[in-house]
Amino acid sequence: MNVQKARVKRAKTLHLRGYFDAAEEIYLRHLDVNPGDVECLNLLGLLHADTNRYETSLQLLRAAIGIEGPKPWLCRNLGIVLERTGDLASACACYRQALASAPEDHGLWAALAQLQANLGQHRDAAISLQTAFLSDTCTPTSRQQYRLSAADAWLRAGDGPAAIALYDEVLKKQPDHKIATFHRAVAWMQCGDLKNARFGFLQTLALSPRHAEAANNLGVLSQLERKLPEAIAHYRSALAFDPNYSSALYNLGAALQESHRLREAICVFRKLLKTQPDHTSAWVNLGNALLGQNQVSPAMAAYQHAVSVTPGDPTAEWNLGIASLLTGDFTRGWMGYERRFSVAGAPPRRQRKAPLWQGQSLTGKTLLLHAEQGLGDTIQFARYAEVFSRQGASVYLEAQAPLIPLLQSTPGVAKLFTPSPEDPDADFHLPLLSAPRLAGTTIDTIPFADHYLQAPAPAVAKWRQWLGPRSAHRKRVGICWAGNPNHKNDYNRSIPPQLLRILDELPGVEWVNLQKGHALPPLNLRDAARELQDFGDTAGLVANLDLVISVDTSVAHLAGALGKPVWILLPFAPDWRWMLEREDTPWYKHAKLFRQQTLREWQPVLHRVVQALSALP
């Protein structure tokens, strides 16, 4: 027996040195004589694994377990081979079986945790690692490493507080531990504790002055706090530390774009895409920056490239739809615009009791149309109630409260109401901005462009009295120079009020203020805005005016829907509904468009307005 053990020992030595053929020959000869030798079966099984014969390796190891039982060392070896084959779940089961008999084996707990992490089971991995560092057999050095790994696992599991608690323990023993310092800051950021996160990343940079990830994350924090110049500086620092750091380059492009530095953003995104041509978000943001420069064809090419990289990407398809609408390609545009509910960060499609209408016959059916975006959007698309009414539907319209008095006059509406938790009984529902697609609207078939709303008669009479007798030689012109300050494009579409001084030089114009919630410009105005109650009230005032001049906001849509002459002042890169270059719009027959020719240059636009007013009879 001693001779046989010595032979197996020699075979094991040959095996460890890589002499697989010689070792295997000895193992096999030994097993011919001792077929139940568990150690030799185990060693031969490991040799087969080392020579990529995994099927027979597993057979041999399972045979050993069948003889000896689920001993920890056998189960561990079987788990190792199963892990090599990619069967991680079975490997985990083997490690757990081994730990049932050897719960103090901290190394095996750590191995199990690695498998669990590879399976995405980060919470289980954290628990396994915590069990490892609580083992009595664990050395102080191993315990500290397991504690750090457990903290990282909690962080990946999304449990920031648990991670922070363990990072704190690591840092008590090693205050200058760079990894724990950085990862604790990441955990603070994950928890929304931006103050401590900033402190942690600055502490990381003090320990590692060229830590690119810490600099990048400081940029992210600054961008979240709307400190864009500071964010840009941090991203540039990260790139100085690591010129190939793609996340920092992408973030820099996004911060430049958010800062309205579009040309710089375009250069950054193009630089990133040279090295990462499959970066879908970079293609989309490149398209957005190009669209902001009114470079519509290159923008569409960027969106199409994003779709080719990631077919079905909702953000790319939605933006491509917007660009298509801007060019007047309504067929493709409406289809892409339907992706708006799937874009990251967008409000989800509201669940309704009634099914979504998808074009079925409306004869004898009830259709619930419901507002989904801004007040101007609701005014613009309320016209579709009559379209669907003519198809046989009884149309219910759900709209924002300030619009209800105005929309009482909407043709085709059987019931009008504000949103409530309880849906009315209906056969179908439809978000209002999906109406053009299902109505088959093209640029030549936009319904009711002349007008489709009427001002409430009491409001008309009220404002006629307020305005007083009309001068035969003066035009009454309502003006609105700013939109919702929370609108993402308000920076471009609102006019600085001091620029309106040029309008004060015009004789023969009686200016009426329609702008609520803003300080008055240096212009002689009759300030009606202070007394406006709702959009029905505003409609009554507009009905008494000769002309409305407005930036792209709800007042422009109100005037257009009433059939009142309205001049709409548009930024260089307009919203999709105003399309490109043309001075009119198929949405409102009595509207005239005044476009910026240069980005954020309003003075030339106002000069053209003055000329046009001067030319009025």
Side-chain angles (χ1 to χ4, degrees):
M1 183 63 71
N2 289 336
V3 172
Q4 291 175 353
K5 285 186 177 181
R7 187 177 295 145
V8 171
K9 184 177 180 180
R10 171 161 175 71
K12 185 176 179 181
T13 301
L14 291 168
H15 178 178
L16 293 173
R17 291 179 179 177
Y19 296 107
F20 298 130
D21 291 342
E24 182 171 6
E25 183 180 350
I26 297 172
Y27 289 149
L28 289 171
R29 284 207 311 266
H30 179 79
L31 287 169
D32 282 340
V33 179
N34 303 282
D37 190 316
V38 170
E39 183 182 6
C40 193
L41 285 168
N42 171 66
L43 290 169
L44 182 59
L46 294 177
L47 186 146
H48 277 220
D50 291 337
T51 53
N52 300 319
R53 289 174 286 172
Y54 294 113
E55 185 176 351
T56 52
S57 170
L58 294 172
Q59 291 171 355
L60 289 162
L61 292 168
R62 285 172 174 143
I65 291 172
I67 296 170
E68 187 71 12
K71 299 296 184 182
W73 58 284
L74 289 173
C75 290
R76 180 170 188 165
N77 286 341
L78 178 59
I80 289 170
V81 176
L82 286 166
E83 186 177 354
R84 289 189 196 177
T85 67
D87 188 354
L88 303 188
S90 296
C92 280
C94 284
Y95 288 161
R96 287 193 177 283
Q97 195 170 24
L99 286 163
S101 302
E104 291 299 313
D105 190 337
H106 60 84
L108 192 51
W109 280 111
L112 174 61
Q114 184 61 58
L115 279 179
Q116 290 166 327
N118 291 341
L119 286 166
Q121 300 168 1
H122 299 297
R123 180 181 181 83
D124 291 340
I127 293 170
S128 294
L129 285 162
Q130 288 190 201
T131 307
F133 72 68
L134 292 173
S135 169
D136 291 338
T137 63
C138 189
T139 65
T141 300
S142 294
R143 184 170 289 114
Q144 183 77 330
Q145 183 56 52
Y146 294 153
R147 187 178 284 115
L148 177 63
S149 297
D152 291 344
W154 282 122
L155 183 61
R156 286 190 290 271
D159 191 334
I164 291 166
L166 288 176
Y167 288 131
D168 285 343
E169 290 186 30
V170 171
L171 289 165
K172 281 180 185 176
K173 298 182 180 298
Q174 294 175 269
D176 294 339
H177 198 297
K178 298 174 184 178
I179 295 174
T181 300
F182 174 68
H183 285 181
R184 183 176 62 174
V186 172
W188 273 325
M189 185 164 69
Q190 187 184 86
C191 292
D193 186 348
L194 305 190
K195 181 179 178 181
N196 270 326
R198 181 179 293 278
F199 165 78
F201 293 131
L202 289 171
Q203 194 177 29
T204 302
L205 285 168
L207 296 171
S208 301
R210 297 184 63 80
H211 199 295
E213 288 179 276
N216 176 67
N217 285 348
L218 282 170
V220 172
L221 291 175
S222 297
Q223 196 165 353
L224 288 171
E225 295 171 343
R226 309 291 302 151
K227 299 175 181 176
L228 293 174
E230 187 177 288
I232 289 168
H234 286 307
Y235 295 140
R236 292 197 188 282
S237 293
L239 289 164
F241 303 152
D242 181 0
N244 298 317
Y245 190 5
S246 60
S247 292
L249 193 59
Y250 175 78
N251 289 341
L252 173 61
L256 289 166
Q257 187 172 1
E258 197 173 344
S259 302
H260 311 290
R261 295 162 62 175
L262 299 183
R263 290 182 181 177
E264 294 173 81
I266 289 167
C267 291
V268 168
F269 289 130
R270 282 180 168 154
K271 181 178 179 181
L272 174 60
L273 288 164
K274 284 181 181 178
T275 56
Q276 290 198 12
D278 59 348
H279 198 306
T280 303
S281 295
W283 281 113
V284 170
N285 278 291
L286 173 61
N288 291 342
L290 289 165
L291 201 63
Q293 291 273 305
N294 243 2
Q295 299 181 44
V296 180
S297 294
M300 293 181 75
Y303 297 140
Q304 287 165 338
H305 205 117
V307 172
S308 70
V309 170
T310 308
D313 180 79
T315 306
E317 292 184 346
W318 176 60
N319 280 289
L320 183 57
I322 289 174
S324 299
L325 290 170
L326 192 62
T327 65
D329 182 357
F330 282 13
T331 301
R332 181 164 67 172
W334 298 132
M335 291 299 296
Y337 199 70
E338 281 300 295
R339 299 290 275 158
R340 64 193 181 278
F341 296 106
S342 302
V343 173
R349 188 188 293 271
R350 179 176 166 182
Q351 298 301 310
R352 297 282 187 169
K353 287 195 303 185
L356 179 69
W357 183 52
Q358 298 179 348
Q360 304 96 316
S361 172
L362 288 174
T363 302
K365 301 297 183 181
T366 302
L367 175 64
L368 169 61
L369 285 177
H370 47 93
E372 53 168 302
Q373 297 187 30
L375 300 174
D377 299 286
T378 303
I379 294 170
Q380 181 179 2
F381 294 103
R383 69 184 78 195
Y384 282 93
E386 175 69 357
V387 173
F388 299 135
S389 176
R390 292 181 180 182
Q391 294 181 25
S394 180
V395 179
Y396 296 172
L397 179 59
E398 179 188 277
Q400 300 94 327
L403 296 178
I404 295 298
L406 169 69
L407 296 178
Q408 295 286 351
S409 65
T410 309
V413 174
K415 289 186 180 179
L416 177 67
F417 47 86
T418 56
S420 68
E422 290 296 321
D423 277 355
D425 291 330
D427 294 300
F428 303 107
H429 82 91
L430 186 68
L432 197 52
L433 272 75
S434 293
R437 180 179 69 87
L438 286 166
T441 300
T442 68
I443 197 170
D444 298 317
T445 63
I446 291 174
F448 313 116
D450 184 62
H451 75 281
Y452 51 93
L453 296 179
Q454 293 181 351
V460 174
K462 165 191 166 182
W463 287 105
R464 183 184 299 120
Q465 182 178 6
W466 186 89
L467 288 164
R470 174 186 293 275
S471 169
H473 304 292
R474 302 189 75 191
K475 298 285 185 185
R476 279 179 172 161
V477 182
I479 188 165
C480 184
W481 62 90
N484 181 352
N486 295 319
H487 189 280
K488 65 179 181 181
N489 197 40
D490 192 63
Y491 175 82
N492 288 313
R493 70 173 187 166
S494 291
I495 300 176
Q498 64 271 18
L499 298 182
L500 299 180
R501 186 186 302 274
I502 188 176
L503 301 178
D504 210 28
E505 302 170 4
L506 278 168
V509 176
E510 179 184 348
W511 293 104
V512 179
N513 179 31
L514 302 175
Q515 183 73 63
K516 292 178 69 68
H518 288 261
L520 295 179
L523 180 63
N524 186 21
L525 286 168
R526 295 193 67 180
D527 191 10
R530 291 180 301 177
E531 300 181 38
L532 291 172
Q533 301 300 313
D534 52 44
F535 274 80
D537 205 28
T538 306
L541 174 58
V542 168
N544 283 283
L545 303 176
D546 298 303
L547 171 69
V548 170
I549 298 176
S550 175
V551 294
D552 179 11
T553 189
S554 54
V555 169
H557 292 284
L558 170 64
L562 292 171
K564 179 64 62 175
V566 55
W567 294 357
I568 305 173
L569 315 184
L570 297 177
F572 178 68
D575 188 76
W576 59 265
R577 70 201 76 209
W578 310 119
M579 294 182 282
L580 299 169
E581 297 178 353
R582 57 192 298 162
E583 295 183 354
D584 66 341
T585 168
W587 291 102
Y588 302 112
K589 182 178 179 180
H590 303 288
K592 183 177 181 180
L593 308 181
F594 291 76
R595 299 175 182 271
Q596 282 185 350
Q597 301 303 310
T598 306
L599 190 64
R600 290 192 294 278
E601 287 290 334
W602 283 114
Q603 292 94 332
V605 176
L606 294 171
H607 276 293
R608 295 202 303 277
V609 168
V610 169
Q611 292 171 353
L613 282 170
S614 301
L616 289 176

